[in-house]
Amino acid sequence: MGRRDARAVTATFPRAAGYFQRMRRRGSLSAVCIALAVVAALVAVPAASAASNPFFGVVGVNYPTQADMTRAAQGGAGTFRMQFYWGNTEPHPGDRFFATTDQLVAEAARAGLTLLPDLSGVPSWISRIPARPPIYSASQRAAWRSMLTDYARRYGSNGTFWILHPELPKRPVTTWEIWNEPNLGGFWGGRPSPRGFARLLKVSAAGLRAGDRSAQVLTGGVFPFHTIRNTVDMTTYLNALYRVHGVKNSFDALGIHPYSTSPKGVLHWVRVARRIMRKHGDGATPIWVSEFGWVTGGHKIQNSPVRASFAGQAKKLTRTYGLFQRKAGSLGIARALWFSYTDHNTTGPPFWTDRAGLFTLDGKPKPAWFAFARAAGGTP
């Protein structure tokens, strides 16, 4: 979704509660530079980290450094979500380079974090629309399935990456998130299709499980509201998804992004998701809140339904994590990940969607970082 779409979302509130742009294009590096960076990272002395709880986590929007990963873990985060962009790994058909993902996996392992890869987006040789899922031809589906098999075979339970790097603490990637907010047109590359997403989940599960029999599949986080053109609200979308025959065999956890103006509103959407799941006989499947949060600044923040002061962001974080912990058992909440770890910049004036971080652009902690560490039992 582009910046224009994000502005359109704010204009539709209260029907919308935010539409965060995360699928940012990464600048490409030469193969030599990437390889050198990865070698340096892999041979670095392992960094000590405090015990962390996988229930608590953060979402990365910029590629993290080792210091970022270590600080997140020391603050109590146990899960770090980061996009694995297919185009970075396979820019041309059959030419696969794992340097970037190797570095991410190594950094997470040294920090003692569980890495949650968000598998979303396609290279230009698959589609001219980066967000369009690879399900519309047999060749697209085969290429996607093959890529995911290689990811799971490399980083999974008995992955070759861990054999190649015995100096690293073994932290295999056990859960893989498929796509991001598939009920929003900007992330689906057109009109969202629950049936199409069910097909993507089926192909993805087959690919991942071929590479690692114990791989777990998490659905891309579903956004609660109808926002702008080419979107479907969570209730309509999930009911339609569950009506697709056999879809429950293709995922192990349901992801949601319950953005709201208040902590109670966030929990409301978790309840809605659980109610739909029970209705369709899927009450035992875990829910992962793979994004939630509030923003503290940026262009046109006055129009943002999830705006907060620095102090207000920290207060809402504390209250929401308290609700999640109290209701984790009854609602089956397995993870809760704050969006985002740091503020970031896209092109043009910094929009409010860029200011959801626990840290400012210059690395200074916001009060929300100290609130996160207290909630997670870490050390800020």
Side-chain angles (χ1 to χ4, degrees), residues 91-368:
H92 306 287
D95 295 333
R96 293 181 180 168
F97 305 96
F98 293 95
T100 300
T101 49
D102 278 0
Q103 183 168 346
L104 284 171
V105 173
E107 289 173 352
R110 275 196 299 273
L113 287 167
T114 296
L115 190 68
L116 173 62
D118 171 24
L119 301 173
S120 59
V122 300
S124 58
W125 54 270
I126 286 289
S127 173
R128 62 184 179 82
I129 303 174
R132 191 171 174 82
I135 59 173
Y136 298 103
S137 71
S139 61
Q140 286 183 348
R141 293 190 294 272
W144 176 252
R145 186 168 50 241
S146 173
M147 184 71 262
L148 267 57
T149 297
D150 273 5
Y151 276 144
R153 187 176 289 140
R154 187 174 187 88
Y155 304 118
S157 301
N158 297 298
T160 56
F161 178 82
W162 309 109
I163 297 172
L164 291 170
H165 296 287
E167 77 282 2
L168 292 173
K170 187 177 180 181
R171 302 282 297 189
V173 175
T174 54
T175 302
W176 306 79
E177 184 175 11
I178 304 302
W179 230 246
N180 177 67
E181 295 181 354
N183 62 321
L184 300 186
F187 290 115
W188 189 253
R191 178 69 180 173
S193 168
R195 187 167 294 276
F197 187 49
R199 170 177 276 192
L200 179 64
L201 288 171
K202 181 178 180 180
V203 175
S204 301
L208 290 168
R209 292 165 184 170
D212 179 4
R213 287 184 296 179
S214 61
Q216 300 284 295
V217 176
L218 169 68
T219 72
V222 181
F223 187 82
F225 295 93
H226 172 79
T227 57
I228 54 177
R229 183 173 59 88
N230 281 350
T231 70
V232 181
D233 67 88
M234 182 178 77
T235 299
T236 302
Y237 189 88
L238 287 182
N239 276 311
L241 179 66
Y242 271 111
R243 284 194 289 268
V244 178
H245 179 70
V247 70
K248 288 185 285 187
N249 296 324
S250 298
F251 65 91
D252 304 285
L254 182 78
I256 62 171
H257 293 174
Y259 287 105
S260 183
T261 57
S262 69
K264 287 184 178 179
V266 171
L267 193 67
H268 163 76
W269 289 113
V270 179
R271 287 195 177 106
V272 169
R274 178 55 70 195
R275 186 163 60 244
I276 294 169
M277 296 168 76
R278 287 171 178 157
K279 176 178 130 179
H280 292 278
D282 200 28
T285 293
I287 289 175
W288 287 41
V289 177
S290 48
E291 285 186 20
F292 79 100
W294 286 268
V295 303
T296 57
H299 186 54
K300 294 194 174 180
I301 188 176
Q302 68 273 13
N303 298 328
S304 170
V306 289
R307 65 184 179 273
S309 65
F310 275 20
Q313 184 192 45
K315 188 175 182 179
K316 289 181 176 183
L317 181 152
T318 299
R319 288 182 175 177
T320 307
Y321 267 120
L323 290 172
F324 284 156
Q325 288 178 287
R326 288 195 293 275
K327 299 298 182 180
S330 61
L331 293 176
I333 306 170
R335 298 285 192 281
L337 311 185
W338 178 269
F339 181 86
S340 58
Y341 177 61
T342 63
D343 287 350
H344 68 289
N345 272 341
T346 52
T347 58
F351 204 55
W352 57 263
T353 53
D354 302 333
R355 297 295 181 264
L358 300 173
F359 293 87
T360 62
L361 283 175
D362 58 3
K364 293 181 180 178
K366 300 180 186 179

